Amino acid sequence: MFWLKLNSWQSNQKNFLPAKSIKLARTLEVLAGRQELSAGTHSLVAAMERMKSKCMFCLDLILPEERKPVKFRCRSARRAMHLRISTSAKTQRKSRAARRSDRCIACYRRVTLRKLVVWRSTIFLVSSARKIRFRRRVFDGRRKAVVTIRVPEHVPPEMVKDFSLFTSPGMERMPNGDPHAAVACLHNGPRIFYSPCNTRDGRGTWVITRAQDQRKLLQDTGTFSSHRSLFASALGENWPLIPLELDPPAHSVFRSLLNPLLSPKRIMELEPAVRDRAIALISKISASSTSCDVLTDFAFPFAVSIFLRLLGLSDERLETFVGWGRDLLHGDGIRRTAAARTILAFIDELAAMRRKQPADDFMTFVVQAKVDDRALRDEEIHGIGVLLFVAGLDTVATAIGFDLAYLARNPKEQELLRSKPDRIVLAAEELLRAYSTVQMIRVATKDINFEGAPIRKGDFVSCATMIANRDPAEFEHPNTIDLAREDNRHTAFAYGPHRCLGSHLARQEIVIALEEWLSRIPDFRIKDGTAPITYGGHVFGMENLILDWS
């Protein structure tokens, strides 16, 4: 296997060669074609091709500035499987002016390389001394920054697969994309494999593709912990979202505390308010136009406003809250950290206000609640408040977007549900299965051989709902959306003790949204000249869904 290492260069080296990784990959391909590389190095060419246009610091995309391309010249290899690339004297003289060439759109670092050395199974990408000083001051506070991406030694080479929910084909932002169909192709391969880079922070994970295996793993909380500090890690801290990232027995204590707030009975009591909100938004849209951006004008205002009411908040800052959620779940590293700090400060402010001015809402309940005869600690209030806030900002609205996009492309299905609204409940379950959006991560607490995979303590394990819900061993014709499908054992809301606390409310919102939209909006389609943009990631997303019914 290969691994990539980014290391600082000696400060006494004067000349630096700016180069994007894509150019390095293309150069290696040319040299390989000329047989100037040994056959054993061709796998490294493929490795570099997979890393093309990626920032070596955060693995996000490189955004090149306008300049002429740098040319390479190859010296003769000194030994087998050893390559040294350097510039001509002319290029070296120009390198100082050209070195501000490569900028990452996520971390804004400029990457400058002097040489690429390929030796055995290692690629060293060497950055400039100036770049190291910039990173030390702004980002990591270390004198010498080293970033390493590698496949652990205990992972068999045959179990490694070049896949990522963030960067694989179909996962990038694209018009009229279908990331769910892209991940469905994984079922043509092994039931478990290792992905070297499958998290937002570039960590490798085992990927469980079969629904049965995911249920088995999610049920085993003793071996696979849910505590990963997804939110707190953006702040450089380590506290759990509650109860999502707690393991039994602590999980059971907080789950029992919060269950009554989102129980089926409580959700039924909320139905009139939820329906009134949907009707108000759709009526406003239909009265003012014959087209709209359904995510911006309906799905997000509808879903987010319901959660804001649970928190005892008005809709005045709805767009601001949606922006925070978008930056947190889909933004780059800088925006994610900024959003996390903003959300945490807001939760603290809201909790302080509810201590002084109690109300009949969720946050008042949290600040007044007790566990084990004690009041909740600040860290626990953070965990509960942040989870509820973030959970209501994105996933339900995105699900509504995917559902309406499907119906816009399938007018017969649209007309069927419009003429037979009693089928909408069953159809919503099928659409939840087909367009699941969340990846769940677990951390192994001990060494275990899980269905042939040598998982070791500390390994990350991915249970992506969008993969399991396209499992042909679980669903007949899984890639065919059958709105009359029965016995639909999908895992859109996860499985086991950590099953989504707000699943009853989410179901209600989706069903009401479809019912009211279909009853008030005539035959609709995606507006000519527009295309919805989809993307993968830890949470799948969609934007720019313009529907037209003129």
Side-chain angles (χ1 to χ4, degrees), residues 314-375:
S314 67
D315 298 340
E316 295 177 357
R317 300 176 64 188
L318 187 144
E319 292 185 5
T320 300
F321 296 148
V322 171
W324 293 352
R326 185 179 294 112
D327 287 346
L328 181 70
L329 297 175
H330 305 293
D332 56 51
I334 293 177
R335 290 188 301 172
R336 181 170 174 258
T337 298
R341 294 191 185 281
T342 303
I343 292 172
L344 188 59
F346 173 76
I347 293 298
D348 283 341
E349 179 184 340
L350 182 60
M353 182 175 68
R354 287 296 177 249
R355 288 189 181 99
K356 296 179 181 179
Q357 302 173 3
D360 184 18
D361 60 30
F362 191 95
M363 189 52 70
T364 300
F365 174 86
V366 171
V367 298
Q368 294 179 350
K370 292 186 177 182
V371 293
D372 299 331
D373 297 324
R374 63 168 176 82

Side-chain angles (χ1 to χ4, degrees), residues 190-489:
R191 62 193 299 173
I192 301 176
F193 63 87
Y194 189 86
S195 167
C197 183
N198 194 39
T199 66
R200 186 184 287 108
D201 52 357
R203 294 285 299 268
T205 73
W206 292 96
V207 178
I208 313 298
T209 64
R210 301 295 189 261
Q212 179 181 358
D213 294 340
Q214 283 198 14
R215 285 196 293 267
K216 179 180 177 181
L217 187 146
L218 294 172
Q219 192 72 35
D220 187 0
T221 57
T223 305
F224 299 99
S225 170
S226 65
H227 181 29
R228 203 200 142 204
S229 298
L230 280 171
F231 181 90
S233 62
L235 304 172
E237 300 173 5
N238 183 30
W239 45 267
L241 296 176
I242 297 176
L244 178 64
E245 293 182 335
L246 288 180
D247 296 319
H251 172 269
S252 303
V253 174
F254 283 92
R255 183 80 181 213
S256 299
L257 174 71
L258 300 174
N259 270 338
L261 298 177
L262 294 168
S263 65
K265 180 181 178 181
R266 177 71 185 277
I267 299 308
M268 288 298 294
E269 295 172 355
L270 292 173
E271 181 177 354
V274 174
R275 193 172 297 276
D276 288 346
R277 180 60 174 159
I279 292 172
L281 287 168
I282 297 171
S283 298
K284 180 180 178 181
I285 291 170
S286 62
S288 61
S289 179
T290 57
S291 69
C292 75
D293 184 332
V294 74
L295 287 163
T296 301
D297 298 336
F298 172 60
F300 275 100
F302 169 63
V304 174
S305 66
I306 303 304
F307 265 88
L308 293 181
R309 291 189 183 189
L310 289 177
L311 288 170
L313 301 172
S314 67
D315 298 340
E316 295 177 357
R317 300 176 64 188
L318 187 144
E319 292 185 5
T320 300
F321 296 148
V322 171
W324 293 352
R326 185 179 294 112
D327 287 346
L328 181 70
L329 297 175
H330 305 293
D332 56 51
I334 293 177
R335 290 188 301 172
R336 181 170 174 258
T337 298
R341 294 191 185 281
T342 303
I343 292 172
L344 188 59
F346 173 76
I347 293 298
D348 283 341
E349 179 184 340
L350 182 60
M353 182 175 68
R354 287 296 177 249
R355 288 189 181 99
K356 296 179 181 179
Q357 302 173 3
D360 184 18
D361 60 30
F362 191 95
M363 189 52 70
T364 300
F365 174 86
V366 171
V367 298
Q368 294 179 350
K370 292 186 177 182
V371 293
D372 299 331
D373 297 324
R374 63 168 176 82
L376 299 185
R377 304 183 184 96
D378 288 344
E379 187 177 278
E380 294 167 338
I381 293 175
H382 288 168
I384 296 173
V386 167
L387 177 61
L388 180 74
F389 187 81
V390 173
L393 289 180
D394 189 274
T395 50
V396 174
T398 300
I400 294 172
F402 276 111
D403 295 354
L404 291 177
Y406 171 79
L407 293 175
R409 294 186 175 107
N410 295 271
K412 291 184 179 179
E413 302 276 45
Q414 183 185 146
E415 184 55 36
L416 173 65
L417 296 183
R418 187 177 281 111
S419 61
K420 297 182 179 180
D422 57 306
R423 293 193 176 190
I424 291 179
V425 173
L426 198 62
E429 292 300 313
E430 173 67 352
L431 293 170
L432 278 168
R433 178 197 70 82
Y435 296 111
S436 302
T437 59
V438 179
Q439 172 186 217
M440 294 164 290
I441 298 289
R442 296 293 184 264
V443 184
T445 60
K446 61 184 178 182
D447 294 354
I448 184 175
N449 190 300
F450 184 85
E451 302 298 330
I455 299 175
R456 296 294 175 262
K457 181 178 180 179
D459 282 2
F460 282 19
V461 185
S462 166
C463 293
T465 59
M466 60 288 286
I467 298 176
N469 287 333
R470 296 294 183 106
D471 182 3
E474 187 75 17
F475 305 98
E476 186 177 359
H477 307 299
N479 296 321
T480 299
I481 299 179
D482 178 7
L483 298 186
R485 190 186 297 270
E486 297 182 355
D487 191 24
N488 200 334
R489 299 181 64 213

